[in-house]
Amino acid sequence: VNVHQKCHSLPTQISRETEILNYRKDGTPFWNDLTISAALDEDGNISHFTSVSRDATERRKIDESLRISAAAFESQEGIFVTDIRSVILRINKAFSDMTGYTAAEAIGQTPKLFSSGRHDKSFYDAMSQSIYTHGMWQGEIWNRRKNGEVFPEAITITTVKNEAGEPTHYVANFIDISARKSAEDAIKTLA
């Protein structure tokens, strides 16, 4: 661009942002967020350009990680995330498909929402102790769908911890094992 060119002949955008791939001296690639702006003098002429460049490599890695996490979250397994008080913060589509509860109905509730009543306090105490001691619990549990139907799940509950090692969230992944339980019952009957 000719620095003496009048402002009215410039494109309407006199600032441009882009992301470009650069290479370090050692040949390793890195991404740059680059903003170039034209500074105008009082007559509307371009007096100089200013550019700001930031290494965007880490942000791109975080974005990629978030995209992968989002895809994994929408898996075939039912997933729900709670805070440390067991309040449901997020569910996926498979959760809704298996339980019948929508996000609006489940978020803000605790997993007691779908409790079947088939397990006693000692069952839940042992589950809590395993989560506290080992950071996870894995097993089978009977839960209740929104329509009242009780069904078996294979479930894994995992603790999410912060940098200090303190629990911040719990993630539960589960699958409906009704078909498997029916097959096991049929085998027992045949035996």
Side-chain angles (χ1 to χ4, degrees):
V1 175
N2 181 341
V3 292
H4 299 293
Q5 194 172 6
K6 293 279 186 195
C7 178
H8 65 271
S9 64
L10 283 175
T12 56
Q13 184 178 354
I14 58 173
S15 180
R16 177 136 185 145
E17 294 180 20
T18 190
E19 196 170 74
I20 59 173
L21 180 63
N22 283 321
Y23 294 88
R24 293 183 179 88
K25 187 176 181 180
D26 67 3
T28 59
F30 70 99
W31 286 94
N32 252 357
D33 280 335
L34 180 64
T35 304
I36 300 174
S37 301
L40 307 176
D41 64 19
E42 58 218 24
D43 296 326
N45 295 316
I46 297 174
S47 63
H48 63 278
F49 291 94
T50 305
S51 71
V52 176
S53 177
R54 282 183 303 233
D55 186 337
T57 306
E58 191 61 32
R59 182 190 48 79
R60 285 183 65 96
K61 285 180 185 176
I62 292 168
D63 289 348
E64 179 182 42
S65 178
L66 289 172
R67 282 193 308 277
I68 292 168
S69 295
F73 192 76
E74 291 307 328
S75 71
Q76 298 301 309
E77 291 184 3
I79 300 173
F80 63 95
V81 179
T82 73
D83 64 14
I84 58 170
R85 295 173 298 131
S86 297
V87 174
I88 299 171
L89 303 175
R90 190 168 174 200
I91 66 167
N92 70 350
K93 183 179 180 317
F95 172 97
S96 291
D97 293 345
M98 282 186 252
T99 67
Y101 290 102
T102 65
E105 294 166 324
I107 293 173
Q109 301 292 324
T110 68
K112 290 180 184 177
L113 173 69
F114 37 88
S115 175
S116 68
R118 286 194 178 188
H119 304 286
D120 61 12
K121 184 179 180 317
S122 65
F123 175 86
Y124 290 108
D125 287 346
M127 177 192 293
S128 296
Q129 184 61 41
S130 177
I131 293 169
Y132 177 77
T133 304
H134 305 291
M136 68 164 297
W137 181 83
Q138 188 172 27
E140 293 181 5
I141 190 168
W142 289 86
N143 274 329
R144 186 178 308 278
R145 299 185 209 281
K146 182 179 174 184
N147 67 8
E149 177 188 357
V150 174
F151 70 105
E153 295 175 351
I155 188 168
T156 302
I157 302 169
T158 307
T159 305
V160 178
K161 297 180 180 181
N162 63 17
E163 299 81 16
E166 301 160 332
T168 60
H169 298 84
Y170 300 102
V171 178
N173 300 57
F174 65 93
I175 57 171
D176 182 337
I177 57 171
S178 299
R180 187 178 90 195
K181 287 289 189 186
S182 293
E184 288 172 359
D185 290 345
I187 290 168
K188 285 178 188 174
T189 302
L190 289 172

